[in-house]
Amino acid sequence: MGQLAGNHFLTMVEGTENLLPLGRMVLWQGAQQIAFRAP
């Protein structure tokens, strides 16, 4: 397959403890609404 091209658009600096529960919720419940805020 080779390299996968992508663009870095986000760096999480806090709240990483919520990634696993969020991933499980998306897996079982589908897409969720999300909001991004500039610091």
Side-chain angles (χ1 to χ4, degrees), residues 6-31:
N7 294 315
H8 178 208
F9 73 97
L10 176 71
T11 299
M12 291 189 64
V13 294
E14 60 185 44
T16 57
E17 67 277 0
N18 300 315
L19 285 177
L20 184 58
L22 176 62
R24 287 185 176 138
M25 183 186 337
V26 169
L27 176 65
W28 295 109
Q29 298 177 19

